[in-house]
Amino acid sequence: MRKLAVLSMHTSPLAQPGIGDGGGMNVYVREVSSALEQAGISSTVFTRRVDSETPKVMTFGDGLNVVQIDAGDFSLRKEDLYSVISDFTNGVEDFLLKEDQHDALLANYWLSGSAAHKLKHSLNMPLLTSFHTLARVKAVSGDKSFGYDERITVESEVIGCSDVILSNSSFEMDQLVSYYGADPSRVEIVPPGVDHSIFNPASKKEAREILNLNEQKTLLFVGRIQPLKGVDLAVSTLSELEDKDTRLVLIGSPSGLEGPSEERHIRKKIEELGLTDRVQFVEPQPHEKLVNWYRAADVLLMPSRSESFGLVALEAAACGLPVVASAVGGLQTIVKNDLSGYLIDDRDPWSYAAHVSKIINDSEKAEAMSKEAVKSSKSFTWSVTAARLRRICLDLQSRSLVDCA
């Protein structure tokens, strides 16, 4: 196995996480591709062109190429991209036929999975798929932001034909099997990693000086503003705290069809609860700046309705920040309940506030959780992720391709 064709149709690894549709998947594609390069397997990343200025091929890291594929108007929303799947598929196929040096396909998300499924058959190449989120899981969580029937059909087809399905955790593997009937023998658990050279503990006082923050207790939320992420619950948690001096910092921007209306809802709620002076909105931050917010905060709130993994929680843990999160998906792998943070089974803001209070009102508890968070994060590295993927890719060479025809 020499080289992978990595498909990331709806978002580029070069994009800033937290803006628009950019999130943990951007980080995953960039870091996995870079780490695989170090492990001896090169990658070419294919994404959809969203402007006229970006060159056809851009290079990042140690010579990894990101290829911009023309597919529909630049302004198309993610929710409308399925209509241009054929254009994206054809563009990737044309490039691969000219290059003739890629050995397997790695698809990220259902849109790329749809394209890669077609390419698997037209080019006779093995297909590895990482879904990052699953429609049936999101629907069960109460997310009504998108009609899922078409997506569920595509996900089912791709799962049925993928030679390897990559799962972030045992929880996602269970979801793949129970909701989609995935063959467990083709599911490989490969957790993402975190860059410990960036995300590591440092002085809270110095971080607050850099950010011009005072000594108020600080709750932190990092993510896209959309109903699925539970920003409204983070705000309600702040309101329920007995300590009325604690502040909440929200880092992110609106995403998806409901993003703008959700932000308006959040801002109105903050005003109605009398929290205007205690909530700070901050635009999405690059990693080298985001790390200071993790170091400056006292607790990370992650009240998502569903999470495939939750890279933000892992980044926070690596910086020694205790996490109070929903007991969903991969967050249950990252957060060690009552050791590095708390996992909450309900969506009652009082429950979140009670557990936040246990941390911010007990300095010894907070310090112990901080140390345990750092310790538990050490097993998650991108080099380990790449090593597991490299082994899977090498094993794939000796397998017969799954035939879904």
Side-chain angles (χ1 to χ4, degrees):
M1 184 74 66
R2 298 168 301 164
K3 197 166 191 176
L4 288 175
V6 180
L7 276 63
S8 181
M9 178 184 177
H10 79 281
T11 183
S12 169
L14 302 177
Q16 168 66 54
I19 297 178
D21 295 317
M25 189 178 127
N26 302 54
V27 178
Y28 178 90
V29 172
R30 181 182 69 239
E31 296 294 340
V32 162
S33 298
S34 297
L36 275 172
E37 181 81 19
Q38 297 299 316
I41 296 180
S42 299
S43 302
T44 304
V45 181
F46 297 88
T47 192
R48 191 182 76 92
R49 178 180 292 282
V50 294
D51 60 51
S52 57
E53 291 79 27
T54 305
K56 172 74 173 179
V57 180
M58 288 191 65
T59 302
F60 73 99
D62 296 324
L64 292 168
N65 290 330
V66 178
V67 180
Q68 315 288 322
I69 300 295
D70 293 309
D73 293 339
F74 300 151
S75 60
L76 276 179
R77 302 172 304 179
K78 182 174 74 173
E79 292 77 12
D80 298 322
L81 291 182
Y82 188 66
S83 64
V84 296
I85 285 285
S86 293
D87 292 341
F88 182 76
T89 305
N90 292 338
V92 175
E93 183 170 13
D94 288 345
F95 188 95
L96 291 176
L97 287 172
K98 292 175 183 176
E99 289 290 308
D100 191 30
Q101 58 179 335
H102 293 77
D103 304 298
L105 301 155
L106 171 55
N108 295 275
Y109 198 59
W110 73 280
L111 291 167
S112 294
S114 178
H117 183 199
K118 296 178 177 66
L119 293 169
K120 168 181 173 169
H121 292 294
S122 63
L123 300 176
N124 194 35
M125 295 172 67
L127 170 60
L128 301 90
T129 307
S130 178
F131 285 93
H132 298 273
T133 64
L134 294 163
R136 282 183 171 146
V137 174
K138 294 181 75 172
V140 168
S141 75
D143 181 20
K144 300 179 177 62
S145 62
F146 190 75
Y148 285 128
D149 290 346
E150 189 171 55
R151 175 175 169 178
I152 288 171
T153 298
V154 172
E155 286 179 342
S156 298
E157 291 173 350
V158 175
I159 287 169
C161 199
S162 293
D163 299 285
V164 174
I165 306 161
L166 300 175
S167 170
N168 288 325
S169 68
S170 60
F171 299 99
E172 187 182 19
M173 178 177 180
D174 291 343
Q175 292 166 347
L176 285 161
V177 174
S178 60
Y179 287 111
Y180 291 88
D183 180 351
S185 68
R186 289 192 281 119
V187 181
E188 295 277 359
I189 299 175
V190 184
V194 64
D195 188 343
H196 292 280
S197 69
I198 296 176
F199 298 105
N200 53 67
S203 167
K204 178 179 293 187
K205 181 180 178 181
E206 291 181 7
R208 290 191 171 192
E209 288 175 354
I210 291 171
L211 298 171
N212 197 28
L213 297 177
N214 60 26
E215 292 306 307
Q216 275 180 281
K217 296 295 184 182
T218 302
L219 310 185
L220 180 65
F221 171 92
V222 179
R224 289 166 288 170
I225 298 178
Q226 54 183 201
L228 183 70
K229 296 297 184 180
V231 190
D232 58 339
L233 183 49
V235 171
S236 296
T237 297
L238 180 71
S239 178
E240 291 291 339
L241 287 177
E242 291 184 9
D243 182 350
K244 300 305 179 183
D245 289 328
T246 301
R247 70 178 150 226
L248 171 64
V249 177
L250 302 174
I251 300 180
S253 64
S255 175
L257 293 176
E258 293 185 304
S261 62
E262 181 69 2
E263 182 181 15
R264 290 192 295 271
H265 164 67
I266 296 302
R267 289 184 181 275
K268 182 179 179 182
K269 184 170 187 173
I270 290 169
E271 185 176 350
E272 291 174 345
L273 291 173
L275 300 173
T276 304
D277 294 336
R278 295 171 57 198
V279 179
Q280 179 181 353
F281 284 84
V282 177
E283 65 184 12
Q285 301 286 294
H287 279 175
E288 61 271 16
K289 293 184 178 180
L290 181 59
V291 65
N292 287 320
W293 290 99
Y294 290 138
R295 292 168 176 167
D298 295 286
V299 175
L300 177 79
L301 285 175
M302 204 160 179
S304 307
R305 292 186 175 275
S306 69
E307 283 288 348
S308 171
F309 187 70
L311 273 177
V312 164
L314 181 55
E315 292 169 353
C319 294
L321 180 60
V323 179
V324 176
S326 306
V328 297
L331 290 172
Q332 300 168 92
T333 300
I334 301 167
V335 181
K336 307 303 180 186
N337 193 43
D338 202 27
L339 293 175
S340 68
Y342 292 108
L343 292 167
I344 311 300
D345 289 316
D346 59 57
R347 301 198 64 73
D348 184 344
W350 186 88
S351 297
Y352 278 82
H355 287 86
V356 166
S357 295
K358 289 181 181 181
I359 301 172
I360 64 175
N361 294 334
D362 186 340
S363 58
E364 290 185 4
K365 181 75 165 177
E367 180 64 22
M369 283 192 162
S370 175
K371 290 179 179 178
E372 181 60 32
V374 174
K375 178 182 175 183
S376 63
S377 75
K378 292 295 186 181
S379 62
F380 296 94
T381 69
W382 290 114
S383 60
V384 169
T385 302
R388 291 177 177 174
L389 273 175
R390 181 177 184 275
R391 188 264 303 166
I392 291 167
C393 289
L394 294 177
D395 289 349
L396 195 55
Q397 291 179 303
S398 61
R399 295 192 201 176
S400 299
L401 298 188
V402 172
D403 185 5
C404 65

